[in-house]
Amino acid sequence: MPSLCDLGRRKGIEVGAAFSGHADPDYRALVAGQVGLITPEWCLKPGYVHPDRHGPYRFAAADEAYRFARSAALGVHGHTLFWHGDPLAWAAELGPSEGFRAYRDVAAALVSRYPDTVSWDVANEVVSETGPLWRGQLGLPVNAEAVAGLFRHVGALAPKRLLCLNDYNLECGAAWCRDKQARMIRAVDELRARGAPVGAIGLQGHLSSRHGLDLDATLAFVRQLASRGLEVHLSELDVNDVVLADAVERRDEQVADLYRTYLSALLSEPAVSRITFWGLTDFDHWMTRGEAEDVRPAGQARPALFDRSLRPKPSFWAVAECLRDAPARRPSRRG
């Protein structure tokens, strides 16, 4: 069985996977053999790391994730320093100025503790799909200057690291995904105008069997980002099989077709420098754990490249094929 990391490296494409911290040794060995970097799923998020303003930081889970990465010679992508889904609940009580200072303080603690982190999602899901461009954060009025200030702060702390803006609904076939693409371009331009060192945009890529893909619009969006000098990461890739066939063998082929269709198109663009699977296996995946919405009942979804017994599925071979066929590009710029 080929290593996806090796296939990607030959083409200048990084390959990664989300990592929950699961201790199963066979699972960890599979991750170590298939990818070149991990993204800790939850243990770097501000609300987990520092839930109490006056209490200690919780670093133990992240420390363990970094120990695993070092033992397997893997890089780490830091996810995420600012997200409405796991905020500093206590920061809203401080008002906008001190509230955002709290996020900068937590970011400083994380960036200084983990200096070898390859790249950081500085902000995740801050662009809204309707109404005001910027999504509020548990009582804090988010705007371009607040987000840009966090980017500038992290950029000063880690000037050689790639800083990313990550978001979802940037590839589906529904009209709101096309609207979101336009809003992301506006957001990038607003941040850049304020001196934010945004180096990459993460297209999460939770591919929807219900809403399909709009490849033409997504490729045009990627080219707009590339024209601004940005790298593009397919940052949380998986397939939601909720409306695909009930028969497992047929459904696995349909899932593989979605991966193949998406990646064969997106990897044709030289700006796409990284693929991260949001769970390499059905054994340990947010959809099979029942954490996602609009999915099959817990334990029934088959969104990943390997099954619950860690055996490769048709989707694995489809991804391997796409990496083999991808045009070579220059390796990602990185300090």
Side-chain angles (χ1 to χ4, degrees), residues 4 29 33 65 152 263 276 322:
L4 297 180
R152 293 193 302 265
L263 287 177
T276 297
C322 290

Side-chain angles (χ1 to χ4, degrees), residues 257-277:
D257 286 343
L258 268 171
Y259 277 112
R260 184 182 294 109
T261 298
Y262 183 65
L263 287 177
S264 62
L266 271 291
L267 292 182
S268 69
E269 293 297 321
V272 177
S273 58
R274 180 187 294 174
I275 311 169
T276 297
F277 298 95

Side-chain angles (χ1 to χ4, degrees), residues 106-129:
V106 172
L110 287 165
V111 171
S112 63
R113 189 175 183 89
Y114 306 114
D116 295 333
T117 307
V118 173
S119 51
W120 286 96
D121 281 335
V122 175
N124 183 52
E125 299 177 3
V126 292
V127 177
S128 62
E129 291 164 13

Side-chain angles (χ1 to χ4, degrees), residues 39 100 120 133 139 171 184 192 197 232 266:
T39 301
F100 285 110
W120 286 96
L133 181 61
E171 64 285 308
M184 281 294 293
R192 286 285 190 82
V232 175
L266 271 291

Side-chain angles (χ1 to χ4, degrees), residues 168-169 172 174 176 206-212 238-244 251 285-303:
Y168 69 115
N169 277 353
C172 80
W176 67 75
H206 298 295
L207 304 185
S208 169
S209 58
R210 188 182 300 282
H211 299 295
D238 54 22
V239 171
N240 184 342
D241 62 357
V242 65
V243 298
L244 300 182
R251 185 166 15 125
H285 195 284
W286 73 306
M287 290 187 193
T288 60
R289 295 194 299 258
E291 297 170 6
E293 297 179 357
D294 191 32
V295 296
R296 290 175 179 265
Q300 296 183 23
R302 296 177 64 84

Side-chain angles (χ1 to χ4, degrees), residues 88-104:
L88 298 173
W90 49 268
E93 303 170 2
L94 306 178
S97 177
E98 291 302 311
F100 285 110
R101 183 187 299 275
Y103 278 97
R104 292 194 296 272

Side-chain angles (χ1 to χ4, degrees), residues 300-319:
Q300 296 183 23
R302 296 177 64 84
L305 308 189
F306 293 83
D307 68 13
R308 286 180 163 287
S309 299
L310 309 184
R311 296 172 300 200
K313 295 157 56 181
S315 53
F316 170 83
W317 299 106
V319 170

